[in-house]
Amino acid sequence: MSVLNVGIDLAVTGKHQADIRDEKGNRVRSGFSFYAVKEEFDALCEHALRNAPEGTKLRFICEPTAMAWFPLAIYALTNGHEIVRVKAQKAHALRKYYSKYKKGDKIDAKVLALMPVVDRDALDEIYLPGRLVYVLDRRCRQREKISKNITATKARLQSLYHWVMPGLSVCFSDPYSTRAIAFYGKYSNPFKVKKLGLSRLRTFLQKSCRQQMAPELPEKIYQAALAACELYKSSSEQIDFDEIQQEVNCELQLFEANVKVLTQIDNAIKKLYEQAHPSKNIETLPGISDILGPVYVGIIGNPRRFSSQSKVRGYSGMAPKQKESGENAKKGLNISKDGHSRYRRALYLSADSARQWDPQLAKIYFDQMVHKGNCHAKAVCAVVTHLTSRIHRILKEDRPYELRDTEGNPISKKEARAIVLKNFIVPEKVRVRTRNRKQRKKRRDAIAIKCEALI
């Protein structure tokens, strides 16, 4: 069965550009421009298959441009065509080869159509999960975005109060509790707090939240306000505290709205997660909670789509780069980062927790730190490569994870923790040694950069 490669340069708002070539890279049809609607998809297929032998299939090749690839993928899969993606770095490199000083939609489409001839391994088959898993993944992605917004708002508020009222944030046990938020929303002006007085401040703080208040809190806040008043008593030309209060109120509105939305998203994720993975066996793995569990289920989708453990590890992007020449091979290179950034982040967090509870993973971490002299981050990344295999196996077989000692014997969670504490706790002097070496390397790199600049 013959195949025609259709390289498609996707546009977000304009027309897509297609270039049609045979398996040898010869152009067999003229270029074709079209919008992402079914009628024009049909017209593209008719144009590409005109005078082609019966049974010829189309292979659509595109880059992951925003979500513009999604309508094309749905059309291709529902009409019996093949669709693959090419990483942007690969397409960019081939484009530079064919046209170093020129870039355009037609050239981009040509490069994509020629990619199977130049580097067939660069083609990644597009995987579309089921509706339930796809929605779960998008919800997890949305949750991470909202969480980042909340973190950014907290950082802005903390940065602001570091100079508006130094020492205020440390007065509260939780600087973003209901009581703290109520105070920020009304008394960002230290002179207003001074005018209020200690007694009325105490009354306000007590009424702002039902939870019990630390007896020393009003005094701490009042003293911080008095110190700020002393600092800014002659700065009316530079600081407008009324405007600062308005700025704080805007930030608090964003914070409260994001927290409310996050609660709604969490509820939606919980329902989707229970439907997509009712057994929740993935949570039996150490380091994976009900927060990270849905992330793995959403990203991996159907675990049977990975034919080997090496592909599972490669999908995470946590595998190290390779550089070989003759009989020499460089070791200790950086990880490729060729995969989902959310997936890598979740794996790193899970691995850092799992190595404290699973003796087999703890042994890997201990060996990396103590015997191989790697820093904490590298050691955790080494644990990640083993954790990915475990996650894949648990999802594929849908069974609970069983903790084992280093000899492979089943053990309880309590016994596993005891083994880790007894045999695989990294001495502090080893941690200090790896940190110092890392700092020395940074200093050497900085000196090398300065020397290159002088040359």
Side-chain angles (χ1 to χ4, degrees):
M1 181 186 296
S2 61
V3 176
L4 291 179
N5 295 315
V6 184
I8 300 178
D9 181 62
L10 297 171
V12 178
T13 57
K15 281 189 172 183
H16 305 325
Q17 182 70 39
D19 186 271
I20 306 160
R21 295 177 182 264
D22 61 21
E23 292 183 276
K24 294 182 179 180
N26 300 315
R27 192 173 188 182
V28 295
R29 297 286 181 275
S30 59
F32 192 89
S33 299
F34 62 101
Y35 284 107
V37 293
K38 186 179 185 303
E39 292 78 10
E40 301 211 12
F41 284 145
D42 290 337
L44 169 64
C45 294
E46 183 182 350
H47 174 72
L49 294 172
R50 188 179 300 141
N51 300 325
E54 188 176 350
T56 301
K57 290 191 64 175
L58 297 181
R59 178 191 290 133
F60 297 115
I61 307 166
C62 61
E63 290 182 78
T65 306
M67 285 297 290
W69 59 270
F70 191 79
L72 178 64
I74 293 293
Y75 177 84
L77 295 176
T78 54
N79 287 273
H81 301 300
E82 183 184 355
I83 180 165
V84 295
R85 283 188 296 189
V86 177
K87 292 182 176 62
Q89 299 93 329
K90 288 272 189 180
H92 175 75
L94 188 57
R95 185 190 306 120
K96 284 291 184 183
Y97 173 78
Y98 280 111
S99 181
K100 187 174 182 180
Y101 301 108
K102 187 177 178 182
K103 184 187 182 302
D105 295 344
K106 292 183 179 180
I107 295 175
D108 292 343
K110 170 188 172 182
V111 164
L112 292 169
L114 287 169
M115 190 61 74
V117 182
V118 177
D119 185 4
R120 184 173 291 273
D121 293 336
L123 306 180
D124 293 329
E125 184 179 355
I126 287 182
Y127 164 72
L128 289 180
R131 181 178 61 183
L132 183 62
V133 173
Y134 184 66
V135 174
L136 175 62
D137 184 40
R138 291 194 62 82
R139 281 295 199 171
C140 290
R141 192 180 310 171
Q142 186 182 38
R143 187 190 191 283
E144 183 168 341
K145 182 180 178 180
I146 298 299
S147 298
K148 286 181 178 179
N149 291 342
I150 293 173
T151 302
T153 302
K154 287 181 177 180
R156 287 194 295 270
L157 287 172
Q158 190 173 24
S159 176
L160 182 68
Y161 282 109
H162 275 329
W163 66 268
V164 169
M165 213 179 300
L168 175 66
S169 298
V170 297
C171 296
F172 297 97
S173 56
D174 179 5
Y176 305 103
S177 62
T178 304
R179 182 171 280 116
I181 294 297
F183 179 82
Y184 300 153
K186 199 166 184 180
Y187 295 108
S188 295
N189 185 344
F191 294 96
K192 195 174 178 180
V193 177
K194 182 180 179 180
K195 185 178 179 180
L196 184 68
L198 180 59
S199 177
R200 285 188 291 172
L201 175 63
R202 180 177 287 106
T203 302
F204 170 79
L205 292 171
Q206 286 175 338
K207 290 182 177 180
S208 63
C209 183
R210 294 182 179 181
Q211 293 181 350
Q212 188 174 0
M213 180 180 68
E216 68 277 6
L217 179 62
E219 179 66 28
K220 286 182 177 180
I221 295 175
Y222 191 67
Q223 291 303 321
L226 292 180
C229 290
E230 184 66 24
L231 180 63
Y232 297 127
K233 62 182 179 182
S234 303
S235 60
S236 58
E237 294 294 325
Q238 289 80 31
I239 304 175
D240 187 339
F241 283 105
D242 291 334
E243 281 299 322
I244 289 173
Q245 184 66 69
Q246 295 301 316
E247 179 184 346
V248 168
N249 289 342
C250 289
E251 294 290 348
L252 292 178
Q253 289 176 28
L254 288 172
F255 177 77
E256 291 171 358
N258 280 319
V259 169
K260 184 178 180 180
V261 169
L262 186 64
T263 303
Q264 296 173 359
I265 295 171
D266 283 339
N267 292 334
I269 288 175
K270 184 179 179 181
K271 292 179 181 178
L272 292 167
Y273 179 46
E274 288 175 350
Q275 296 176 52
H277 188 53
S279 65
K280 296 186 178 180
N281 282 327
I282 194 171
E283 293 180 26
T284 61
L285 272 161
I288 298 179
S289 62
D290 57 349
I291 299 296
L292 292 179
V295 174
Y296 294 123
V297 173
I299 291 176
I300 294 175
N302 180 9
R304 299 187 184 278
R305 66 190 177 106
F306 299 102
S307 58
S308 65
Q309 292 296 328
S310 61
K311 290 186 177 180
V312 173
R313 295 178 180 183
Y315 185 71
S316 68
M318 296 296 277
K321 297 177 182 177
Q322 293 183 355
K323 190 172 182 180
E324 298 178 358
S325 179
E327 296 181 357
N328 298 322
K330 280 194 173 183
K331 302 293 184 181
L333 296 177
N334 295 333
I335 59 175
S336 65
K337 295 186 180 180
D338 191 16
H340 285 270
S341 58
R342 290 188 303 119
Y343 190 29
R344 289 196 301 274
R345 176 180 173 274
L347 286 170
Y348 187 90
L349 293 174
S350 297
D352 194 23
S353 176
R355 55 99 183 169
Q356 303 176 51
W357 295 92
D358 189 323
Q360 294 181 345
L361 298 179
K363 183 180 179 181
I364 295 167
Y365 177 83
F366 184 85
D367 180 62
Q368 290 286 325
M369 290 282 290
V370 176
H371 300 138
K372 296 184 178 178
N374 289 327
C375 64
H376 169 76
K378 274 192 174 183
V380 173
C381 288
V383 175
V384 165
T385 58
H386 294 265
L387 184 64
T388 52
S389 300
R390 287 164 163 78
I391 292 172
H392 177 253
R393 191 71 176 269
I394 294 302
L395 288 177
K396 186 176 180 179
E397 299 180 1
D398 197 16
R399 62 175 177 81
Y401 181 71
E402 190 176 60
L403 284 167
R404 294 177 180 269
D405 61 19
T406 54
E407 302 298 325
N409 302 311
I411 52 175
S412 66
K413 188 175 181 180
K414 187 176 180 180
E415 291 171 331
R417 180 61 177 165
I419 292 172
V420 172
L421 292 175
K422 182 180 179 181
N423 301 314
F424 302 118
I425 295 297
V426 178
E428 183 60 28
K429 63 180 182 181
V430 174
R431 296 188 181 277
V432 171
R433 185 181 68 211
T434 56
R435 282 197 294 265
N436 290 341
R437 187 172 62 252
K438 191 174 182 180
Q439 291 168 1
R440 287 197 298 270
K441 184 179 182 301
K442 284 184 179 180
R443 286 196 292 269
R444 287 198 302 269
D445 292 344
I447 292 172
I449 291 171
K450 288 181 180 178
C451 291
E452 289 178 4
L454 291 173
I455 295 172

